[in-house]
Amino acid sequence: MDEVVHLDEVVAPKTGWSCRMAAGQHLKIVDLRGAQAVDFLAYAADRPEERYNAADTMKIAGSIFLTTGSRLYSDMGRVLLTIVEDTVGFHDTIGGCCSRESNLARYGKPGEANCRDNFLDQLARHGLGKRDIVANINFFMAVPVLPDGAMAISDSRSRPGDYIVLRAETDVLVVLSNCPQMFNPAAGYDPTPIRCVVYSNSDEKETVR
């Protein structure tokens, strides 16, 4: 299978990243050093009022966790992206993103860097803002839920070099935050860089519409 790489970038700790992807292109997110959460949002590229919908994604899949084969649905019932490879097998849909306000409420510390500010910085580059932030995915983050409903952010299952690959099923805008969290294990208490590679496969099958 021949791959054509369109973009290959290392995203520094505590920062954000975004990219427009054409239908059929792939995004590979690599956890370079392990235990690094990546907060993720997706929008229809040409009509960003259509965006990733966490509830529909979970309801249709019948699971609150994502892995290979999981489809990320929009609020219009369309598949935006599909997870086609995953070396971890456990990604969170319910933990949301950290913010100055939530850090203050949970830990008594506002912190300087946070995922919501990273999202806002990246969204502004595409003419979007605070109203466009919805419930997000947390790749590489473990949020187990116990039978009694108790949940908490636990130690990551991701190891150095683990990755996830998503295929765009329509033209999409993807926005992520390389989580700066220092007060829980989301980033192993030591945020580290990740790598983002956008590529195409020459013999990829026709995408889902």
Side-chain angles (χ1 to χ4, degrees):
M1 181 181 295
D2 294 328
E3 293 183 357
V4 178
V5 175
H6 305 287
L7 190 65
D8 188 342
E9 297 183 350
V10 172
V11 182
K14 303 184 180 182
T15 65
W17 183 88
S18 59
C19 178
R20 286 176 64 106
M21 296 172 60
Q25 290 184 341
H26 296 69
L27 170 62
K28 183 176 185 178
I29 304 172
V30 185
D31 188 356
L32 293 173
R33 301 184 190 175
Q36 176 60 50
V38 177
D39 292 43
F40 183 90
L41 291 170
Y43 305 79
D46 296 324
R47 48 182 183 282
E49 64 274 12
E50 178 181 1
R51 66 279 310 268
Y52 167 72
N53 185 280
D56 286 350
T57 295
M58 289 184 277
K59 285 184 291 188
I60 294 170
S63 175
I64 62 173
F65 304 119
L66 302 176
T67 187
T68 303
S70 297
R71 293 179 169 185
L72 311 187
Y73 281 86
S74 78
D75 51 6
M76 298 300 291
R78 290 199 308 152
V79 181
L80 297 177
L81 301 114
T82 300
I83 299 175
V84 295
E85 293 184 51
D86 175 21
T87 63
V88 179
F90 189 101
H91 303 274
D92 169 61
T93 57
I94 63 174
C97 69
C98 61
S99 66
R100 290 175 181 268
E101 293 79 6
S102 65
N103 283 339
L104 184 60
R106 298 177 69 194
Y107 309 111
K109 301 176 182 179
E112 294 186 2
N114 62 83
C115 287
R116 187 167 68 178
D117 284 349
N118 284 345
F119 279 153
L120 289 172
D121 175 68
Q122 292 299 315
L123 288 170
R125 304 180 189 197
H126 303 279
L128 303 174
K130 188 174 181 179
R131 292 183 178 181
D132 299 295
I133 296 179
V134 294
N136 61 281
I137 296 166
N138 294 304
F139 290 127
F140 309 122
M141 192 167 90
V143 184
V145 178
L146 301 181
D148 64 356
M151 52 84 75
I153 297 171
S154 65
D155 291 340
S156 175
R157 302 180 184 183
S158 179
R159 299 294 178 260
D162 273 334
Y163 65 87
I164 189 165
V165 178
L166 301 105
R167 182 181 64 224
E169 307 296 1
T170 187
D171 294 351
V172 293
L173 167 66
V174 296
V175 180
L176 62 81
S177 169
N178 192 14
C179 185
Q181 182 58 255
M182 298 289 290
F183 308 129
N184 66 48
Y189 301 101
D190 181 22
T192 54
I194 59 170
R195 181 185 177 197
C196 292
V197 184
V198 177
Y199 67 92
S200 299
N201 289 332
S202 59
D203 60 348
E204 184 67 43
K205 296 179 180 179
E206 185 177 352
T207 57
V208 176
R209 295 295 181 180

